[in-house]
């Protein structure tokens, strides 16, 4: 029996060794014939400890993995009270952490000693950081709003939005894209500006541009540039628009329909009447940020831009010219007028553009069209003219006669051929009631009778005194 007890004592010693190294041995079997002595009592207590310690170790492993609901096991443990307190604290800490994750940074804990101090310090720092982030975000919003409002006056809100909202917004580079371009320009504005004070020119121009910019933004256009009295508008960039051509058409019609209101204001202010020509074209361009890292701008480049400018240069006041590609892109519903052949550099054949008069879906935007009625002068008025090349006067003056008049156009008879769509400066040989006749600017619209060298011209700039004199010439005041 002594040898048996010694063997059991060896097993007890080995069990303690395993516990010391972190291993949990199995309970030690107690022989049936072992007397009820000290060895049996030690084995009994030892086996009970091994069973409860195994439960405790398994529970701690589950706690380490995040499982806090271990009540079935905890109920059989001798360390039940302490373990339940740990379990409760961990559950409470988990709930507190979930509340913080949900945004409630007012949570605090008052248990677990130094851990509570560290936890509460972390929460306070998170709250301070959130308040700083909220304040910084408000400052950023105010800054972005300032940038949008300030730079939006010099470029489009859409372009400013791209620069601010997209990470690659300021990156140099571009992409090819099909867009619709609209260019507008005042006819004869340079000559008109020379007759006004500088402050009047700026006021007149600002009033005109305010009306046009409002219409452009309302129809979804992006103003790429304003150069003096000229406006360059994009449809389809930077924001892609499946109906870019239709929007550009409506924009152009609304701009022309707004001109009577602009001129009504001009009349009240004592300023001259102004007229605008518009060209629209659809084609592929390179669009993006162009320039250097120190100075760049959002712009479009390519042959389409140059061709749009060329189309616009062929217009007369109150006219909208559209290209064949624009007509195809806009689809059905366009009301088109006369054909205008536009010649551009690098093109073998002329581009057959059409005058845009309206759209079937918008009858209120129909522009005046049709034949011009001229009053034949009883005595033709002699004058000299000079052909302008790129807004520069030619060197030679040519004699001609003015034989018919309408409010905006005239029929002239020349000694030589006049190029269609050429810009000319006229100098009448007679003196008006206002004094010596001033310079008149006009664009050649079309030949009326090439055999007799008669052409239709559209006035782009007439001094007020000369205009009134010409008006009385065809509408004489009858004596009572």
């Amino acid at each position: 029996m002594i040898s048996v007890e010694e063997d059991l004592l060896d097993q007890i010693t080995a069990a303690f060794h395993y516990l010391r190294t972190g291993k949990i041995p199995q309970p030690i079997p107690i022989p049936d014939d072992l007397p009820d002595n000290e060895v049996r009592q030690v084995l009994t207590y030892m086996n009970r400890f091994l069973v409860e310690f195994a439960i405790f170790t398994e529970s701690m492993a589950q706690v380490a993995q995040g499982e806090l609901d271990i009540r079935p096991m905890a109920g059989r443990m001798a360390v039940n009270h302490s373990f339940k307190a740990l379990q409760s604290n961990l559950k409470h800490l988990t709930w507190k952490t979930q509340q913080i994750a949900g945004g409630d940074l007012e949570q605090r804990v008052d248990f677990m000693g130094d851990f509570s101090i560290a936890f509460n310090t972390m929460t306070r720092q998170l709250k301070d950081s959130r308040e700083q982030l909220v304040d910084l975000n408000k400052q950023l919003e105010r800054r972005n709003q300032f940038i949008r409002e300030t730079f939006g006056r010099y470029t489009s809100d859409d372009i400013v939005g791209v620069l601010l909202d997209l990470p690659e917004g300021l990156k140099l580079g571009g992409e090819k894209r099909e867009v619709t371009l609209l260019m507008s320009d005042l006819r004869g504005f340079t000559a008109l500006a020379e007759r006004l004070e500088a402050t009047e020119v700026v006021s007149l121009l600002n009033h005109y541009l305010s009306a046009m910019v409002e219409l452009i933004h309302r129809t979804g256009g992006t103003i790429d540039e304003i150069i003096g009295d000229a406006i360059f508008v994009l449809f389809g960039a930077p924001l892609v628009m499946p109906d870019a051509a239709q929007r550009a058409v409506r924009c152009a019609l609304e701009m022309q329909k707004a001109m009577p209101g602009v001129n009504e204001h001009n009349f009240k202010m004592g300023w001259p009447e102004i007229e605008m020509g518009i060209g629209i074209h659809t084609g592929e361009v390179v669009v993006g940020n162009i320039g250097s890292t120190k100075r760049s701008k959002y712009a479009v480049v390519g042959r389409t831009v140059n061709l749009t400018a060329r189309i616009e240069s062929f217009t007369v006041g109150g006219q909208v010219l559209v290209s064949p590609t624009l007509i195809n892109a806009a689809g059905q519903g366009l009301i088109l007028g006369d054909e205008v052949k536009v010649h551009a550099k690098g093109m073998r054949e002329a581009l057959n553009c059409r005058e845009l008069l309206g759209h079937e879906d918008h009858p209120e935007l129909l522009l005046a069209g049709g034949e011009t009625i001229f009053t034949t002068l009883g005595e033709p008025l002699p004058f000299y003219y000079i052909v302008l090349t790129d807004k520069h006067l030619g060197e030679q003056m040519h004699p001609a006669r003015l034989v018919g008049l309408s409010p905006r156009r005239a029929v002239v008879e020349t000694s030589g051929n006049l190029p269609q769509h050429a810009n000319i400066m006229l100098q009448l040989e007679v003196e008006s009631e206002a004094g010596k006749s001033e310079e008149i600017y006009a664009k050649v619209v079309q030949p009326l009778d090439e055999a007799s060298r008669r052409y239709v011209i559209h006035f782009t700039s007439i001094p007020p005194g000369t205009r009134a004199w010409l008006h009385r010439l065809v509408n004489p005041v009858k004596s009572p």
Side-chain angles (χ1 to χ4, degrees):
M1 182 64 66
I2 295 300
S3 61
V4 173
E5 290 181 356
E6 290 179 352
D7 182 60
L8 291 174
L9 289 174
D10 290 339
Q11 292 184 48
I12 292 172
T13 302
F16 277 114
H17 174 73
Y18 283 126
L19 288 173
R20 180 175 173 275
T21 58
K23 299 177 182 178
I24 305 175
Q26 293 295 322
I28 302 171
I30 301 176
D32 294 335
D33 58 348
L34 182 66
D36 187 13
N37 56 14
E38 290 85 353
V39 175
R40 175 181 283 275
Q41 291 177 5
V42 169
L43 282 173
T44 301
Y45 284 110
M46 181 69 181
N47 287 340
R48 185 183 302 170
F49 173 79
L50 291 177
V51 171
E52 292 184 351
F53 190 79
I55 296 173
F56 174 78
T57 302
E58 183 180 351
S59 298
M60 289 299 294
Q62 288 183 294
V63 169
Q65 295 175 3
E67 177 59 57
L68 300 181
D69 188 13
I70 52 174
R71 287 170 294 180
M73 294 184 183
R76 306 196 304 269
M77 294 170 57
V79 291
N80 196 26
H81 178 73
S82 298
F83 200 81
K84 281 186 176 181
L86 174 62
Q87 179 191 28
S88 175
N89 288 340
L90 290 176
K91 282 187 174 183
H92 190 55
L93 183 62
T94 301
W95 182 84
K96 291 276 187 179
T97 305
Q98 291 170 345
Q99 297 302 110
I100 292 174
D104 182 6
L105 299 181
E106 299 296 333
Q107 296 296 327
R108 298 289 185 273
V109 295
D110 54 0
F111 54 87
M112 301 178 72
D114 291 342
F115 181 83
S116 298
I117 298 174
F119 185 92
N120 293 336
T121 301
M122 177 198 71
T123 306
R124 185 173 59 255
Q125 291 174 346
L126 286 174
K127 182 180 179 182
D128 293 341
S129 298
R130 185 178 69 174
E131 291 175 352
Q132 292 176 5
L133 286 174
V134 170
D135 184 62
L136 289 173
N137 189 53
K138 289 181 179 179
Q139 294 180 29
L140 182 61
E141 288 180 359
R142 288 194 295 268
R143 169 184 169 275
N144 286 352
Q145 186 64 28
F146 171 78
I147 292 175
R148 290 180 191 274
E149 293 176 354
T150 302
F151 289 97
R153 296 176 59 189
Y154 297 92
T155 183
S156 165
D157 288 342
D158 294 334
I159 294 176
V160 177
V162 168
L163 297 178
L164 292 177
D165 298 338
L166 299 180
E168 66 277 12
L170 292 173
K171 189 181 298 182
L172 293 175
E175 61 173 324
K176 286 187 176 181
R177 188 188 299 180
E178 182 175 278
V179 298
T180 295
L181 307 180
L182 181 153
M183 286 190 180
S184 70
D185 194 14
L186 292 181
R187 303 273 76 93
F189 183 76
T190 303
L192 177 150
E194 293 176 353
R195 299 196 300 268
L196 298 175
E197 296 293 333
T199 54
E200 291 181 307
V201 173
V202 173
S203 297
L204 182 150
L205 198 55
N206 285 345
H207 178 258
Y208 156 74
L209 290 174
S210 295
M212 298 302 111
V213 168
E214 178 67 27
L215 295 175
I216 292 167
H217 284 171
R218 192 169 69 197
T219 51
T222 295
I223 298 176
D224 181 77
E225 204 162 5
I226 295 177
I227 306 176
D229 59 309
I231 311 174
F232 180 30
V233 187
L234 316 178
F235 290 87
L239 304 178
V240 177
M241 293 179 179
D243 58 345
Q246 294 90 330
R247 287 175 178 267
V249 165
R250 177 161 185 175
C251 180
L253 294 173
E254 288 194 8
M255 288 172 70
Q256 290 291 16
K257 295 295 285 187
M259 289 305 293
V262 172
N263 283 318
E264 183 178 351
H265 176 80
N266 290 355
F267 178 76
K268 292 179 181 178
M269 299 298 295
W271 299 334
E273 181 181 11
I274 56 177
E275 291 185 309
M276 172 181 61
I278 299 176
I280 318 177
H281 180 44
T282 297
E284 189 176 74
V285 298
V286 176
V287 56
N289 292 317
I290 298 171
S292 69
T293 54
K294 291 186 176 180
R295 183 174 179 84
S296 63
K297 73 182 294 289
Y298 188 89
V300 294
V301 294
R303 184 168 173 270
T304 300
V305 180
N306 301 330
L307 190 52
T308 306
R310 187 64 175 167
I311 294 171
E312 183 275 321
S313 71
F314 274 64
T315 63
V316 296
Q319 189 179 50
V320 180
L321 285 184
V322 294
S323 69
T325 53
L326 181 281
I327 295 173
N328 291 334
Q332 298 180 348
L334 299 183
I335 301 175
L336 302 172
D338 295 337
E339 183 179 274
V340 177
K341 292 184 179 296
V342 174
H343 299 268
K345 293 181 181 179
M347 294 181 61
R348 294 182 178 179
E349 298 181 357
L351 190 67
N352 296 323
C353 297
R354 297 285 297 276
E355 183 176 2
L356 176 67
L357 299 178
H359 197 286
E360 294 175 358
D361 294 339
H362 305 285
E364 74 282 1
L365 299 180
L366 184 66
L367 303 180
E371 295 291 331
T372 301
I373 300 175
F374 295 97
T375 299
T376 302
L377 298 180
E379 187 69 31
L381 293 176
F383 68 90
Y384 285 92
Y385 71 89
I386 299 176
V387 177
L388 282 72
T389 304
D390 294 330
K391 297 188 177 182
H392 298 288
L393 292 174
E395 297 180 354
Q396 187 175 359
M397 297 190 72
H398 307 275
R401 299 194 307 166
L402 195 151
V403 297
L405 275 175
S406 75
R408 297 184 181 277
R409 296 188 175 187
V411 177
V412 297
E413 188 177 85
T414 65
S415 58
N417 293 325
L418 264 181
Q420 191 170 351
H421 304 294
N423 293 303
I424 61 175
M425 186 272 284
L426 295 77
Q427 181 73 57
L428 296 177
E429 283 191 323
V430 297
E431 292 188 3
S432 69
E433 298 174 9
K436 191 175 186 297
S437 176
E438 299 180 76
E439 296 174 347
I440 300 174
Y441 291 86
K443 180 185 284 290
V444 180
V445 177
Q446 62 187 23
L448 188 64
D449 183 357
E450 290 188 276
S452 61
R453 293 194 173 93
R454 288 193 170 190
Y455 300 88
V456 177
I457 65 173
H458 186 102
F459 295 120
T460 57
S461 176
I462 305 180
T466 303
R467 181 185 291 276
W469 178 73
L470 290 174
H471 177 75
R472 287 193 294 272
L473 191 66
V474 296
N475 298 281
V477 179
K478 297 181 179 180
S479 301

